[in-house]
Amino acid sequence: MKKLLAMAVVAAMISCKQETKETTAQVETKTEDKNVIQPITNDIIETAVIYEANIRQYSKEGTFDAFTKDIPQLKELGVKIIWLMPVFPISETKRKATGGKDSKFASEFPEEERAKYLGSYYAVSDFKKINPEFGTIEDFRKLVKTAHDNGIYVILDWVPNHTGWDHTWLTTNSDFYTKNDKGEVIHPEGTDWTDVADLNYDNPELRKEMISDMSYWITKENIDGFRCDVAGSVPTVFWQEAVPQLRKLKDIFMLAEAWEPELLEDNLFDMGYGWDRHHTMNHIAKGEEKVAAWHTNYEKDAKRYATDDILMTFVTNHDENSWNGTIEERMGESSGLFTTLSYLVPGMPLIYSGQEYGLNHRLKFFEKDSIPKTKGKEWSLLKKLASLKQGNPALNGGKQSAAYKVLEANNENVLAFTRTKADDAVVFIGNLSKEKQSVTVKVEGDYTDYISGTTITLKDKESIELKPWQYYVLTK
């Protein structure tokens, strides 16, 4: 386990905890023209969709350029933030070829096979360089500029908890790392992440160097923030030291791969992961839980998070797809319902590379793979949901999130709720089961089902018949 930081560090950081976003230094870029985009604001976050870009697998080429050309069409899906999975060089030493408890390194395979094993993006060998697998720094800058030209922000997947075994710190600053009783650097305890070395945040020089490396990408390459890998495994006091310094450089967006409420306090991270919501959707889709589990989880979130905390809502991401299964595997015929639900509840919805094209296979994690690129029902649904989220304040999901109120339903398999803000409202009624259901919901009036475009009249005490996994998104 990581040791606690010295109390002196805590005291030194107290004054920084109250820092708010401000721009006090001009952002430098190495492009010929200044790459200007308005600062990210809370208003933008209210209706934003975030897109996780897996550059390696996004295209047959697996390059920045192949992704960059598709950025303009992501606007159709309401994307305002692109989260790039790690773009840094990957260590050769202990480069992984397979995952899980019985994982193997590339070096354990015949020499002629080793080249196909590309390793984990999260085994970083240098935080200030670009992975040549994806292209050059100029290609990266073109990606950022194209995103900014289309009104889209770019955040980098940052890996603060560990480095790959090739990182120069292992030879120049071995005290940056956690060591065992024998003085040997170890991988993160309690994990099978044997391809990385655990960092020791008791060391003030490590904290200083990590902040410097993060600052580099803001000031030199004009990125707009970070998605921080396993942020809860890094001492919170580090974030209390780092984030105020980063926010002084530019208005940035900070996403924590974590659920801990304290990481969303004091202007540290803007958004955390809605892991419990995601897991509950999986359980209901498999018939392991009913709607009551959704209510229980939502009530728990309401108690542990502040009203202006933001959670990312998702039906898939890189870990879920590669290790736990595709949307089809986990959710089957309920995938449309749960995708819609991820847009309708408070928070920010995520699209993972390939989801928009109906990706239905587990992407390889340590080898080259690719996603389909044919637009079908998934693209149409995500485009329609984005339009509703952007156009109806009742789906605001940021710090001024629209209200969420459960509607009484006389059926344990039916979820019904309203989202409201001022005079705007959206009603969701869905059958969260594989059997036909009849339900009475206390809602009256003429509505349009946003998904089908049909008009529906609801009357108090009059039942509604729902097919398996059928749902309505009702607007006035």
Side-chain angles (χ1 to χ4, degrees), residues 172-466:
T172 62
N173 300 86
S174 65
D175 287 342
F176 282 10
Y177 294 87
T178 305
K179 299 178 182 180
N180 61 21
D181 293 340
K182 298 178 182 179
E184 301 165 328
V185 175
I186 61 174
H187 73 271
E189 289 185 304
T191 76
D192 60 0
W193 305 344
T194 51
D195 57 340
V196 294
D198 192 59
L199 288 168
N200 174 18
Y201 277 85
D202 276 359
N203 190 317
E205 292 304 312
L206 165 65
R207 301 195 301 272
K208 181 179 178 181
E209 194 69 25
M210 187 64 73
I211 295 169
S212 175
D213 282 5
M214 296 178 81
S215 300
Y216 170 86
W217 290 95
I218 297 174
T219 60
K220 300 298 183 183
E221 300 301 342
N222 204 18
I223 61 99
D224 305 298
F226 300 94
R227 176 267 187 189
C228 294
D229 188 60
V230 291
S233 295
V234 175
T236 300
V237 286
F238 167 71
W239 299 120
Q240 292 168 345
E241 179 179 353
V243 178
Q245 294 184 49
L246 299 176
R247 291 199 188 279
K248 284 183 178 180
L249 302 174
K250 181 181 180 181
D251 291 289
I252 56 174
F253 182 82
M254 296 291 291
L255 165 61
E257 189 203 13
W259 62 267
E260 290 86 350
E262 60 266 25
L263 292 177
L264 300 175
E265 297 174 357
D266 301 320
N267 201 32
L268 297 181
F269 286 90
D270 298 287
M271 186 163 75
Y273 268 52
W275 276 119
D276 287 346
R277 296 181 189 181
H278 173 75
H279 294 146
T280 300
M281 287 191 283
N282 281 336
H283 291 315
I284 295 175
K286 294 175 182 177
E288 299 167 350
E289 300 280 2
K290 294 185 183 296
V291 172
W294 175 267
H295 294 322
T296 298
N297 173 70
Y298 205 90
E299 289 167 3
K300 180 175 69 174
D301 282 351
K303 291 178 181 178
R304 63 180 173 173
Y305 294 110
T307 56
D308 62 351
D309 286 345
I310 308 171
L311 295 180
M312 186 174 72
T313 55
F314 54 96
V315 294
T316 188
N317 60 34
H318 67 274
D319 283 322
E320 289 298 296
N321 171 267
S322 292
W323 306 119
N324 296 327
T326 67
I327 298 174
E328 180 68 24
E329 284 181 271
R330 290 178 286 103
M331 296 183 168
E333 295 181 357
S334 68
S335 61
L337 182 153
F338 286 113
T339 297
T340 300
L341 186 59
S342 73
Y343 276 69
L344 264 62
V345 297
M348 185 185 298
L350 168 73
I351 300 172
Y352 174 51
S353 293
Q355 180 183 346
E356 71 272 37
Y357 295 113
L359 173 66
N360 192 26
H361 77 271
R362 300 188 186 198
L363 291 172
K364 296 175 182 177
F365 201 83
F366 304 109
E367 300 176 52
K368 183 72 182 80
D369 205 342
S370 63
I371 67 173
K373 298 299 273 293
T374 302
K375 295 177 183 177
K377 64 178 183 179
E378 290 82 10
W379 183 282
S380 297
L381 177 60
L382 293 174
K383 184 176 179 179
K384 187 176 277 285
L385 291 171
S387 180
L388 181 61
K389 185 168 180 63
Q390 290 180 324
N392 193 320
L395 293 189
N396 282 7
K399 292 187 176 298
Q400 299 295 324
S401 181
Y404 171 94
K405 181 182 178 181
V406 173
L407 295 173
E408 185 179 338
N410 63 337
N411 188 312
E412 64 180 0
N413 293 300
V414 175
L415 173 64
F417 62 83
T418 59
R419 297 289 310 284
T420 56
K421 189 157 194 178
D423 296 328
D424 296 291
V426 173
V427 178
F428 176 87
I429 303 173
N431 175 8
L432 274 59
S433 79
K434 61 181 180 180
E435 308 292 340
K436 270 198 306 187
Q437 303 293 335
S438 177
V439 64
T440 301
V441 180
K442 291 186 177 180
V443 177
E444 290 188 294
D446 295 325
Y447 292 86
T448 298
D449 176 32
Y450 181 78
I451 302 298
S452 67
T454 59
T455 299
I456 296 176
T457 299
L458 298 178
K459 297 180 180 179
D460 191 19
K461 298 182 180 179
E462 187 173 289
S463 64
I464 304 169
E465 302 299 318
L466 296 170

